[in-house]
Amino acid sequence: MSESVLKSLSGPVVLLGAGKMGGAMLEGWLKLGLPADKAVVLDPNLPADAAAALAARGVAVNPALADIPTPSVLLLAVKPQVAPDALPPLAPLVGAGTLVVSIMAGRTLAFMSAIFGAGTAIVRSIPNTPAAIGRGVSVCVPGPNVSAAQRDLTTALLGAIGIVEWIDDEALMDAATAVSGSGPAYAFLLAEVMAQAGAAAGLPPELAARIARATVSGAGALMDQSELPAATLRQNVTSPGGTTAAALGVLMNDTAGFGPLMVEAVAAAARRGKELAG
């Protein structure tokens, strides 16, 4: 499905920003069958060697805007703070059939509609960093002008870097960002503090770091491959009265444990998302 959708586009896919996330998406699209001559990259900060490598594959890199045909997709993968300057020059590119997809944190549908026009089909999405290895999560909300076909196209584009989930209420985007967008940092922190705790218990620090990292990544892989709920997987590790139960007695404390802390952390991230959106 994704391959056929990308191969059938009438206009190019224009990517604004080819950093880690944008670059991962571009590679995913090309692997899924997007013809290289249907890909356009706009990124003045792209290193010369990377630009030359893309050009050698047939991708148009930083052409004059006047030379770009009306795109089927304009994907915005720049930092949100540069959006007020970077987006307006692209407005003339957007045609009646162009789908605009943004992966900029905090930039609302209203913000983009003000730039590209109230009738533009716009999808706002937030992927997370595991997208760099094709294991990302992208949460999307469609604007009012997005058709069913354009929603499928968005799923195909973002499906190249992981799974795609849809919400219908943009107000939920801050909470989704706090869970999935910021979530990898929580998992990395878990490995970090487990290593510190292991060292405090007497393990050599380098050994503690290695086994904590492998444990967190292995548990994630097990959860990914299992159909069981996370709670059941946790219970399967926990023998009554055993060592895991002793540790979970601390971590699952009703007032000072991991659960209340995570609720507080996600709420703080969601609040900050609202502040960044203005």
Side-chain angles (χ1 to χ4, degrees):
M1 174 65 174
S2 297
E3 184 174 348
S4 62
V5 169
L6 295 182
K7 283 184 175 179
S8 65
L9 295 176
S10 58
V13 175
V14 177
L15 174 65
L16 177 66
K20 289 184 179 179
M21 195 71 73
M25 286 190 292
L26 177 60
E27 287 300 322
W29 302 337
L30 295 173
K31 287 178 182 177
L32 284 174
L34 178 70
D37 61 3
K38 284 286 187 71
V40 178
V41 170
L42 300 176
D43 189 339
N45 298 316
L46 192 65
D49 57 345
L54 288 175
R57 296 165 67 183
V59 175
V61 180
N62 293 323
L65 296 183
D67 294 336
I68 302 174
T70 300
S72 291
V73 180
L74 171 59
L75 197 139
L76 310 174
V78 292
K79 299 291 186 184
Q81 56 267 33
V82 307
D85 294 323
L87 270 54
L90 303 183
L93 285 178
V94 175
T98 301
L99 168 66
V100 176
V101 180
S102 167
I103 64 168
M104 299 181 297
R107 294 301 185 181
T108 63
L109 292 170
F111 171 85
M112 289 175 284
S113 292
I115 293 173
F116 296 112
T120 305
I122 302 172
V123 172
R124 179 183 172 195
S125 177
I126 295 293
N128 60 13
T129 55
I133 59 167
R135 297 292 301 276
V137 177
S138 298
V139 180
C140 304
V141 59
N145 304 305
V146 176
S147 67
Q150 288 172 323
R151 184 165 166 150
D152 289 343
L153 175 55
T154 303
T155 298
L157 289 165
L158 297 179
I161 55 171
I163 69 169
V164 180
E165 299 286 351
W166 287 88
I167 57 177
D168 294 320
D169 182 357
E170 189 178 9
L172 297 176
M173 188 58 83
D174 292 313
T177 302
V179 174
S180 65
S182 301
Y186 312 155
F188 302 148
L189 176 61
L190 175 60
E192 183 182 352
V193 297
M194 281 177 60
Q196 292 169 352
L203 289 173
E206 291 185 359
L207 173 62
R210 287 198 303 272
I211 63 176
R213 181 179 182 131
T215 298
V216 172
S217 61
L222 174 61
M223 185 163 54
D224 182 62
Q225 295 179 25
S226 174
E227 296 182 356
L228 296 174
T232 301
L233 292 171
R234 169 181 55 78
Q235 292 161 3
N236 289 346
V237 184
T238 310
S239 301
T243 58
T244 306
L248 291 178
V250 176
L251 292 174
M252 297 179 70
N253 182 280
D254 290 339
T255 56
F258 194 58
L261 279 175
M262 185 58 70
V263 170
E264 184 178 350
V266 168
R271 284 195 303 271
R272 183 57 180 157
K274 289 182 173 63
E275 292 169 359
L276 290 173

